[in-house]
Amino acid sequence: MIGVVATLKVQVEKTSEFEAVFLDLAAKVKANEPGCLLYQLTKSKTEAGVYKVLELYASMDDLKAHGGTDYFKAGGVAMGPFMAGRPEIEYLDAVE
Amino acid sequence: MIGVVATLKVQVEKTSEFEAVFLDLAAKVKANEPGCLLYQLTKSKTEAGVYKVLELYASMDDLKAHGGTDYFKAGGVAMGPFMAGRPEIEYLDAVE
């Protein structure tokens, strides 16, 4: 199992628009990716505009498939105007 | 729902011992805490000895209850000799 923590920095005045686009993407992930076991958007309690996505995938192939979907690519394009910087993506190995 | 990302730095030569203690703790959490929705140990793919625990709780009360259990306190004591620094705990609000 593979873990991901994605840190996303969003323009403070655009957080509502960002959340709407992200939650639409998350719904598509849940509907289409049985190998994606967790795809949970969270936001910092202390830093405005800072979000973290907690993700778990059954395998590296499932993670690659996620990044290759049309709706993931379209979501990235749709979020672009709301972002305040490049995403930071950390990849992790689950310990079981 | 509340998210937590806990970063734990472990002495590189003590990772096996740490993992054994942590997985025992995680089994107790899963067995006893219906309000803990995720408690997944992961390790960095790039930094030896660096672990991240991805956690989700149904409510702040569930998170507080987690930290107050005897097995959580005992686990912290048991891990102590294997650690390379203080844990960094980040608290997050789920966006749903």
Side-chain angles (χ1 to χ4, degrees), chain B residues 37-77:
Chain B
L37 308 175
L38 177 74
Y39 200 71
Q40 180 62 54
L41 182 63
T42 71
K43 61 181 175 182
S44 170
K45 285 182 175 288
T46 55
E47 291 181 276
V50 175
Y51 291 80
K52 297 213 175 200
V53 190
L54 310 187
E55 306 174 37
L56 287 172
Y57 298 86
S59 71
M60 189 58 83
D61 283 347
D62 292 307
L63 173 56
K64 288 179 184 168
H66 166 74
T69 61
D70 288 342
Y71 51 80
F72 181 80
K73 295 173 187 170
V77 171

Side-chain angles (χ1 to χ4, degrees), chain B residues 78-89:
Chain B
M79 285 174 217
F82 312 136
M83 308 309 286
R86 300 189 69 161
E88 294 168 26
I89 313 293

